[in-house]
Amino acid sequence: MPGSIAESEGDYDPREHQPCYIFTPANIQPPPAKRRKVEPATGKRGRKGRNTRIIPDEEENVEVENVEGEAPCPFPRLLDGEEPAAMAVRRWETYNRLWRNIEETVEDVLEGMDVGAVNGICKFVAEASEQRPESNQQQELEDLEMNGEEAEEEEENLFDEDDEAETTIRTGLVLAGPNIASHSVLFAKVKARIAQEGVGRVILLTSSDSGGIKGILKKIVKEGTQGEASGEEEDEVDVGRDRSGKKLLNYDLQILVDWVSKKGNQAGKIVVAIQDTEAFDPNILAQLVDLMIAYLNRIPFVLLLGVATSIDITQSKLPKSTIRKLDCKKFDVERAEECLDEVFKHAVIGGVDEILPPAIHLGPNICDLLIKRQNEYTISIQGFISALKFVYMTHFFGNPLSVILGFESEEDLNNVLTPVHIKAIRNLQSFRRLVEHHLSKKETHVVRLLLSDDDYLKTRIHHTLIRSQEHALQASLIISIFKTARSFTYVSSMPLPPLPELHIKLLTGTFHNSSTVREFLMAVKKLNSHKLTDFLRTLTTQYPKSPLSEELVKYLAGLETLLRDLPSHARSIPLQLPTSSRLVPAPSTPSDALGEKTVLFNHIISQVHTTLQNFFSSQSILLRDTNGTGIENGFLSEVICYDWVSPSRECFMPNIRGVVEGAIFNPKDWLPCECCPGDDESDEESEDEDGAENEDGKESRKRKKDQGEMGVLSATQPATTVLYRLYCESGALINMYDLWQAFWSIVGGDDDEEEESQDGEKGMTKELAQALFYRGVAELRFLGFVKYTKRKRDCLAKLAWKGL
Amino acid sequence: MLKRKRPSPPPLPVPQTPRRNLNYVHAHSPTKPSALRTPMRPPPDEEDEDFDPDDLPVRNADKSAKKKSARALVQRLIRGDDSEDEEEDEEVEELARRIYSDDEDSEGEGAGATIEKETRAPKPGAKGKDKTPATPRKKKAPSPPPPNTLSGSDLYFSQHHRKVPVSNNTLATIPPLEPAEYFRLLRSYEDHKEEKENLLKLHSDSFPQWLFELSQGFNILLYGYGSKKSLVESFAEHAYSAQPSRKIMIVNGYIVTLTLKDVFNLLFTTISPDGAPKVAADHSVNLETLSTLLAERPSTQILLLVHALDSDALRPIRVQSVLSQLAHHPQISLLATTNHIRAPLLWDSATLTLYNFLFHHTTTFINYSPAECAAIEESLDMGRGGRVGGTRGVRFVLASLPSNAKLLYKMLIESQLESMSGDMANTETEGGLDYKVLYQRAVEAFVCSNDMAFRSLLKEFQDHQMVTTKKDVGGNEILCAPFEKEQLESILEDIAAV
């Protein structure tokens, strides 16, 4: 119910000028009943239309009341509103259930990811202070800096006094990778963990704090002394005053010293963690380090530096004198790719640890998009998960048949499949393909059953769904076998291509031909006998159920007997094929017997090679279904597979500038009016799209001819469009007067006499044109296309080049 | 310079650009510029048909002038393009260019012809109606290949590799438009009403989808051309009807004076109407307060609708970071709109992760209202004194100054207006006031007591470009408010009103 476009004249809306307000509907009415009447289906748009948004078919949205009465089901009823309300709710529930599963797995994975690093840091902090404190040589220095307010805390110092000055501070360098979005999460984890272990307390600093040393000290003092100490009120009284009762300034580290000495050993470490070291002002950091070292004998400081780039870069930013004072230890946090691999394995491929695979199969295109976005734009694992969630949302929101996913039993499934759904399934493209497939095999009875027997169709559906799960398991098996097997070969020194890449290859059926697999198979041939034994043993024990294992067990037995037969002195020397392609063993072998064995070994190894080769090619072909098509083209692929790229791309990787430019340049795409000339392309498009507009197209083309050279510019177009087109043609500096003249010549009609007289269709009054011109320029400026420039009077500087 | 129907310039040999040429000439062989250039000159083509043989001797004779002008150009380039006193050099530069354009025939029409045209262009004082330099050209030129056939990058380089001369016309010739008239005209004009409403309808079809997405922890960002205000408001209605318990809060980001404090204030009072906590100066404290408030009321759902998330008021990084943390809260969902084509540059990956945006393309083609787009109002000041910002800024500055400063400015304006009304022909010189005279008057009026105080008052005006200083022929300092008569009058009214 869009509001009226027309700005109501003279009707001043005070809310428009209010900074913020609470929305209340204009005409306050009781909230409408949730359930509205379902209007007869209008069904204007095909569900799989070109539109990239998931727009439900019917115009009116039919909210469905949730049975449980908690959060109402936000899903509209699809299938032209014929979808039973209960099924929409069920769809909603299914979505929630399936996504929650995935979310939980992913959370577990992520939880486990940083654990190592967090533990390491925690341990480091705990051990950091064994070398404690010592002299007061630095006292002078800090006295200078701290207003000389404290001079006599020698006797107060709890710690033994040593002659050696503390010159370095224990520092943990946390290499957290380029994804700065994950840093705060990581540091929050570290903070929580350190607090939990009672090792100390963490004061988290970010570059936004680096305004001044005072502010930082204030923060350190404040966070260092508050918090859990809330139970001990006497802190409030004591801390913050020196012995004479004078109040200390709130950034005086002496407060912290007092606090630490009061707490004694319970205080633990005071960990100062800087989240984004590179962005932190190096001078401030140097000062901070100096101060911390000066106080190190009284406050057990530990420093943590988060590094997003590399140690080298961080080092180059800091003064050398500061670096010398840092006693560093490096912590590698799990790298983003490994994290992604792991998440991808669990959330997309599935089948890990015999858990059922995810219900939706992601097709190669969407996988590719997700991974590309991940690698090239966000590098944030959270972003990946969001994108994945969006895929689920899209699927369940817009696809009425998605309700059949995630069923528990065949019976359950049959309940879900209402006649409406059956009808919808019979209308699927993939159903048609299935029927054609059977027809081509002359299996007419099957076709008849498919078309008329609902029960038969239901079994088929069930079968297909089960098969799709097997399919996913199989894919996951192939990849993990490959990964394990590959780790035995020398190729493993080269990095394994990321998991998603392998998966995409598998989906597109190019896996077994890929260079990765071929290299691996070559490398298998070069295994020596010891390695091969390990190799076979691992494969057979890890994957006892795989179709490979039977044969591999046989080879393993053969190999073992072969090795057992070797003379004892030769057993330690691994058998190996010569690196040259000759199959005949080299004459240098110690004895004929050994030579024989080599030939036997050669036999085994080539058998293993062939078996593996067959396995990979046959399996990945098997994945491609009976008629050579993958699951993405098989029966029910619309439901099982998700391979739409455009919704995700539009929602996550928008081309904002391109869209704005396109719209302004060619408003015809958005305003299919008859008055404006369109571009050639858009005309053709509209003709292509529906023949009904054919005449419109012709008309506008005729008009265009009439307009002759004016071509695509016309007075009826929005003023901003006209100006923008002029703008596109002009140089880097635009004289506003000339722009105005050009604009006027377009909107104001050609002849001067005409201009004042009638504001008919074409000509408009000069004042109006001027107003429109002003507004158009203002809009261009507002959108960021031009700016005023001081380089020349009344000129605009161009800021954006179309398509650049 | 706009040349819609200009024939595309003939291909230029790249080294022919004035800048490179001149640098080179200047640095290495100042004595023989033309000798160097001659071999590079393209062979005469059809462009040379209108090549005037009379030019030749002139060109040769003009070598020294050429050198001089080359130096002028080079110096100007060294000083940088943004030097503000460029206008003063305009004549020298133009002369230099004219001399060069003779030489660089290959630039053909492009440079030479335009400059000729410029010299013939009507004087600013003359009525521009009958003599419009752009229009006749437009009609004459038959079916040229439009220059915009070039792709973005090519066009960019072709427009930057040599300086396209821009005419010296100013908007002063157009009669000014009164604000009331302006807004009345804008309101009265409407195009494509039906189509725009269809477009809105199309977008509003996805409201249920948006609600669903918001409920799933995503936030939504609307982008695309056109005002999205009415769309967002109808979405608010939809959201309200779907769940009336939800608090819907609309933030008009385009309001210049909007601060985060306003937002927090409203949030606090909305969440706990009785006994709302005070808004602290530190927003991280506010965020904490907010999350404790929300944690106490787990059923509260807040929908934040922000118009123009990329507006000036919300553009600072700190504001964005606080907003992103707000939006990240599970009980708060955010639907925001942006307009600027480079809006995404506002967010780094950390902010973006917190925002968790889904981008939705909503082109509406609805014209921005003047409130939404401050540029619309400012555009009225176009062509008035060339000072960007117009009198609005002056008003702001004056409002913040003590009364004696206002008085001083009033005195200056009054004397300026007097001299303007005295001789209308002399509007160009903007009748400034001698420094000493103004000082004397100021002392007499007890605006200030000594020169120091006077200077410091003036300094404020100069910082805001409300007063400019010039030296007249006698070397006296002339102070002047750089505005047109109408503007001066309106400022005077404002001062008097306060």
Short mmCIF file of all heavy atoms in Angstrom, two decimals, chain A residues 576-612:
data_model
loop_
_atom_site.label_atom_id
_atom_site.label_comp_id
_atom_site.label_asym_id
_atom_site.label_seq_id
_atom_site.Cartn_x
_atom_site.Cartn_y
_atom_site.Cartn_z
N GLN A 576 61.04 -49.90 -4.11
CA GLN A 576 60.52 -48.74 -4.85
C GLN A 576 60.72 -48.95 -6.32
O GLN A 576 61.71 -49.54 -6.76
CB GLN A 576 61.24 -47.48 -4.40
CG GLN A 576 60.71 -46.25 -5.09
CD GLN A 576 60.90 -45.03 -4.24
OE1 GLN A 576 61.81 -45.00 -3.44
NE2 GLN A 576 60.06 -44.04 -4.42
N LEU A 577 59.81 -48.46 -7.06
CA LEU A 577 59.98 -48.54 -8.51
C LEU A 577 61.01 -47.50 -8.92
O LEU A 577 61.10 -46.44 -8.33
CB LEU A 577 58.66 -48.23 -9.19
CG LEU A 577 57.60 -49.30 -9.08
CD1 LEU A 577 56.43 -48.93 -9.96
CD2 LEU A 577 58.15 -50.65 -9.49
N PRO A 578 61.78 -47.86 -9.93
CA PRO A 578 62.72 -46.86 -10.43
C PRO A 578 61.96 -45.65 -10.94
O PRO A 578 60.83 -45.75 -11.42
CB PRO A 578 63.43 -47.58 -11.58
CG PRO A 578 62.54 -48.71 -11.94
CD PRO A 578 61.83 -49.11 -10.68
N THR A 579 62.58 -44.53 -10.82
CA THR A 579 61.87 -43.32 -11.20
C THR A 579 61.67 -43.22 -12.70
O THR A 579 60.78 -42.52 -13.17
CB THR A 579 62.64 -42.08 -10.72
OG1 THR A 579 64.01 -42.32 -10.93
CG2 THR A 579 62.35 -41.80 -9.27
N SER A 580 62.51 -43.91 -13.45
CA SER A 580 62.32 -43.87 -14.89
C SER A 580 61.11 -44.71 -15.24
O SER A 580 60.58 -45.45 -14.41
CB SER A 580 63.56 -44.40 -15.60
OG SER A 580 63.64 -45.78 -15.37
N SER A 581 60.70 -44.58 -16.46
CA SER A 581 59.46 -45.23 -16.82
C SER A 581 59.66 -46.73 -17.08
O SER A 581 58.69 -47.45 -17.29
CB SER A 581 58.88 -44.56 -18.07
OG SER A 581 59.87 -44.58 -19.07
N ARG A 582 60.91 -47.18 -17.07
CA ARG A 582 61.12 -48.60 -17.35
C ARG A 582 60.49 -49.45 -16.26
O ARG A 582 60.62 -49.16 -15.08
CB ARG A 582 62.61 -48.90 -17.44
CG ARG A 582 63.23 -48.46 -18.75
CD ARG A 582 64.68 -48.81 -18.76
NE ARG A 582 65.36 -48.15 -17.64
CZ ARG A 582 66.55 -48.55 -17.21
NH1 ARG A 582 67.17 -49.57 -17.74
NH2 ARG A 582 67.13 -47.90 -16.21
N LEU A 583 59.88 -50.49 -16.67
CA LEU A 583 59.25 -51.34 -15.68
C LEU A 583 60.21 -52.42 -15.20
O LEU A 583 60.04 -52.99 -14.13
CB LEU A 583 57.99 -51.99 -16.25
CG LEU A 583 56.85 -50.99 -16.47
CD1 LEU A 583 55.65 -51.67 -17.10
CD2 LEU A 583 56.47 -50.35 -15.15
N VAL A 584 61.20 -52.70 -16.01
CA VAL A 584 62.18 -53.70 -15.63
C VAL A 584 63.00 -53.15 -14.47
O VAL A 584 63.45 -52.01 -14.52
CB VAL A 584 63.14 -54.00 -16.81
CG1 VAL A 584 64.02 -55.20 -16.49
CG2 VAL A 584 62.33 -54.20 -18.06
N PRO A 585 63.17 -53.90 -13.41
CA PRO A 585 63.95 -53.38 -12.30
C PRO A 585 65.39 -53.12 -12.70
O PRO A 585 65.93 -53.77 -13.58
CB PRO A 585 63.84 -54.49 -11.26
CG PRO A 585 63.43 -55.70 -12.00
CD PRO A 585 62.63 -55.24 -13.17
N ALA A 586 65.94 -52.17 -12.06
CA ALA A 586 67.32 -51.80 -12.39
C ALA A 586 68.26 -52.97 -12.04
O ALA A 586 67.99 -53.71 -11.08
CB ALA A 586 67.73 -50.58 -11.61
N PRO A 587 69.28 -53.12 -12.79
CA PRO A 587 70.19 -54.23 -12.56
C PRO A 587 70.93 -54.12 -11.23
O PRO A 587 71.51 -55.09 -10.76
CB PRO A 587 71.16 -54.13 -13.73
CG PRO A 587 71.01 -52.75 -14.27
CD PRO A 587 69.66 -52.29 -13.92
N SER A 588 70.86 -52.98 -10.63
CA SER A 588 71.65 -52.79 -9.43
C SER A 588 71.02 -53.45 -8.21
O SER A 588 71.56 -53.36 -7.11
CB SER A 588 71.83 -51.30 -9.17
OG SER A 588 70.57 -50.74 -8.98
N THR A 589 69.83 -54.01 -8.36
CA THR A 589 69.20 -54.62 -7.20
C THR A 589 70.09 -55.73 -6.65
O THR A 589 70.71 -56.48 -7.42
CB THR A 589 67.83 -55.21 -7.55
OG1 THR A 589 67.89 -55.70 -8.88
CG2 THR A 589 66.76 -54.18 -7.42
N PRO A 590 70.12 -55.85 -5.33
CA PRO A 590 71.09 -56.73 -4.71
C PRO A 590 71.01 -58.20 -5.20
O PRO A 590 72.05 -58.82 -5.41
CB PRO A 590 70.76 -56.66 -3.23
CG PRO A 590 69.85 -55.51 -3.06
CD PRO A 590 69.32 -55.12 -4.38
N SER A 591 69.85 -58.69 -5.38
CA SER A 591 69.79 -60.09 -5.80
C SER A 591 68.64 -60.32 -6.74
O SER A 591 67.77 -59.47 -6.87
CB SER A 591 69.64 -60.98 -4.57
OG SER A 591 68.35 -60.77 -4.03
N ASP A 592 68.68 -61.44 -7.36
CA ASP A 592 67.58 -61.78 -8.26
C ASP A 592 66.26 -61.87 -7.52
O ASP A 592 65.22 -61.45 -8.02
CB ASP A 592 67.87 -63.13 -8.94
CG ASP A 592 68.83 -62.91 -10.07
OD1 ASP A 592 69.12 -61.73 -10.35
OD2 ASP A 592 69.30 -63.89 -10.65
N ALA A 593 66.37 -62.44 -6.32
CA ALA A 593 65.16 -62.60 -5.53
C ALA A 593 64.49 -61.26 -5.30
O ALA A 593 63.28 -61.12 -5.46
CB ALA A 593 65.50 -63.25 -4.19
N LEU A 594 65.31 -60.33 -4.98
CA LEU A 594 64.79 -58.99 -4.73
C LEU A 594 64.20 -58.39 -5.99
O LEU A 594 63.16 -57.73 -5.98
CB LEU A 594 65.91 -58.11 -4.18
CG LEU A 594 65.47 -57.07 -3.15
CD1 LEU A 594 64.66 -57.70 -2.04
CD2 LEU A 594 66.69 -56.36 -2.59
N GLY A 595 64.90 -58.65 -7.08
CA GLY A 595 64.42 -58.15 -8.37
C GLY A 595 63.03 -58.69 -8.66
O GLY A 595 62.14 -57.96 -9.10
N GLU A 596 62.86 -59.93 -8.37
CA GLU A 596 61.56 -60.57 -8.57
C GLU A 596 60.49 -59.85 -7.75
O GLU A 596 59.39 -59.56 -8.23
CB GLU A 596 61.63 -62.02 -8.09
CG GLU A 596 61.27 -63.04 -9.14
CD GLU A 596 61.58 -64.43 -8.59
OE1 GLU A 596 60.83 -64.83 -7.66
OE2 GLU A 596 62.54 -65.03 -9.05
N LYS A 597 60.89 -59.62 -6.51
CA LYS A 597 59.95 -58.96 -5.61
C LYS A 597 59.56 -57.58 -6.15
O LYS A 597 58.40 -57.16 -6.06
CB LYS A 597 60.57 -58.75 -4.22
CG LYS A 597 60.98 -60.02 -3.55
CD LYS A 597 59.78 -60.81 -3.11
CE LYS A 597 60.24 -62.08 -2.42
NZ LYS A 597 59.20 -63.12 -2.38
N THR A 598 60.54 -56.95 -6.71
CA THR A 598 60.24 -55.62 -7.25
C THR A 598 59.19 -55.71 -8.34
O THR A 598 58.29 -54.88 -8.44
CB THR A 598 61.51 -54.97 -7.79
OG1 THR A 598 62.55 -55.19 -6.87
CG2 THR A 598 61.31 -53.48 -8.00
N VAL A 599 59.34 -56.74 -9.15
CA VAL A 599 58.36 -56.90 -10.21
C VAL A 599 56.97 -57.14 -9.61
O VAL A 599 55.97 -56.54 -10.03
CB VAL A 599 58.74 -58.08 -11.13
CG1 VAL A 599 57.65 -58.31 -12.18
CG2 VAL A 599 60.06 -57.82 -11.80
N LEU A 600 56.96 -57.96 -8.59
CA LEU A 600 55.68 -58.22 -7.92
C LEU A 600 55.11 -56.92 -7.32
O LEU A 600 53.92 -56.62 -7.44
CB LEU A 600 55.88 -59.23 -6.79
CG LEU A 600 55.76 -60.69 -7.18
CD1 LEU A 600 56.08 -61.59 -5.99
CD2 LEU A 600 54.36 -60.98 -7.71
N PHE A 601 55.99 -56.19 -6.72
CA PHE A 601 55.58 -54.94 -6.10
C PHE A 601 55.01 -53.98 -7.15
O PHE A 601 53.97 -53.34 -6.96
CB PHE A 601 56.79 -54.30 -5.40
CG PHE A 601 56.51 -52.94 -4.84
CD1 PHE A 601 55.64 -52.78 -3.78
CD2 PHE A 601 57.10 -51.81 -5.38
CE1 PHE A 601 55.38 -51.54 -3.26
CE2 PHE A 601 56.84 -50.56 -4.88
CZ PHE A 601 55.97 -50.42 -3.80
N ASN A 602 55.72 -54.00 -8.24
CA ASN A 602 55.27 -53.17 -9.36
C ASN A 602 53.86 -53.56 -9.77
O ASN A 602 53.00 -52.72 -10.02
CB ASN A 602 56.25 -53.36 -10.52
CG ASN A 602 55.77 -52.63 -11.75
OD1 ASN A 602 55.16 -51.59 -11.64
ND2 ASN A 602 56.03 -53.20 -12.91
N HIS A 603 53.61 -54.84 -9.77
CA HIS A 603 52.31 -55.35 -10.15
C HIS A 603 51.24 -54.81 -9.18
O HIS A 603 50.21 -54.28 -9.60
CB HIS A 603 52.34 -56.87 -10.11
CG HIS A 603 51.07 -57.47 -10.58
ND1 HIS A 603 50.58 -57.29 -11.85
CD2 HIS A 603 50.18 -58.26 -9.94
CE1 HIS A 603 49.44 -57.92 -11.99
NE2 HIS A 603 49.17 -58.53 -10.83
N ILE A 604 51.58 -54.93 -7.91
CA ILE A 604 50.60 -54.49 -6.91
C ILE A 604 50.32 -52.98 -7.03
O ILE A 604 49.18 -52.53 -7.05
CB ILE A 604 51.12 -54.81 -5.49
CG1 ILE A 604 51.14 -56.30 -5.28
CG2 ILE A 604 50.24 -54.13 -4.43
CD1 ILE A 604 51.70 -56.73 -3.96
N ILE A 605 51.42 -52.28 -7.20
CA ILE A 605 51.23 -50.83 -7.19
C ILE A 605 50.43 -50.38 -8.40
O ILE A 605 49.59 -49.46 -8.33
CB ILE A 605 52.59 -50.10 -7.08
CG1 ILE A 605 52.38 -48.77 -6.33
CG2 ILE A 605 53.20 -49.79 -8.44
CD1 ILE A 605 53.65 -48.16 -5.87
N SER A 606 50.61 -51.03 -9.52
CA SER A 606 49.82 -50.60 -10.68
C SER A 606 48.37 -51.02 -10.50
O SER A 606 47.46 -50.33 -10.97
CB SER A 606 50.41 -51.13 -11.99
OG SER A 606 50.64 -52.49 -11.89
N GLN A 607 48.16 -52.12 -9.77
CA GLN A 607 46.78 -52.50 -9.50
C GLN A 607 46.11 -51.44 -8.61
O GLN A 607 44.96 -51.04 -8.86
CB GLN A 607 46.75 -53.85 -8.78
CG GLN A 607 46.72 -55.02 -9.73
CD GLN A 607 46.71 -56.32 -8.96
OE1 GLN A 607 47.36 -56.44 -7.92
NE2 GLN A 607 46.01 -57.29 -9.49
N VAL A 608 46.85 -51.04 -7.61
CA VAL A 608 46.30 -50.02 -6.72
C VAL A 608 45.98 -48.76 -7.51
O VAL A 608 44.90 -48.15 -7.38
CB VAL A 608 47.30 -49.68 -5.60
CG1 VAL A 608 46.82 -48.47 -4.81
CG2 VAL A 608 47.49 -50.86 -4.68
N HIS A 609 46.89 -48.43 -8.37
CA HIS A 609 46.70 -47.24 -9.20
C HIS A 609 45.43 -47.34 -10.02
O HIS A 609 44.60 -46.43 -10.04
CB HIS A 609 47.93 -47.08 -10.10
CG HIS A 609 47.82 -45.93 -11.05
ND1 HIS A 609 47.44 -46.09 -12.36
CD2 HIS A 609 48.03 -44.61 -10.89
CE1 HIS A 609 47.41 -44.91 -12.94
NE2 HIS A 609 47.78 -44.00 -12.07
N THR A 610 45.28 -48.47 -10.69
CA THR A 610 44.10 -48.63 -11.54
C THR A 610 42.83 -48.59 -10.70
O THR A 610 41.84 -47.95 -11.10
CB THR A 610 44.15 -49.98 -12.28
OG1 THR A 610 45.51 -50.33 -12.49
CG2 THR A 610 43.42 -49.93 -13.58
N THR A 611 42.89 -49.26 -9.57
CA THR A 611 41.69 -49.28 -8.74
C THR A 611 41.28 -47.88 -8.32
O THR A 611 40.11 -47.51 -8.42
CB THR A 611 41.95 -50.11 -7.47
OG1 THR A 611 42.54 -51.34 -7.85
CG2 THR A 611 40.66 -50.35 -6.72
N LEU A 612 42.27 -47.14 -7.89
CA LEU A 612 41.96 -45.78 -7.45
C LEU A 612 41.41 -44.95 -8.61
O LEU A 612 40.42 -44.22 -8.46
CB LEU A 612 43.21 -45.10 -6.89
CG LEU A 612 43.62 -45.53 -5.49
CD1 LEU A 612 44.95 -44.91 -5.12
CD2 LEU A 612 42.56 -45.15 -4.48
#
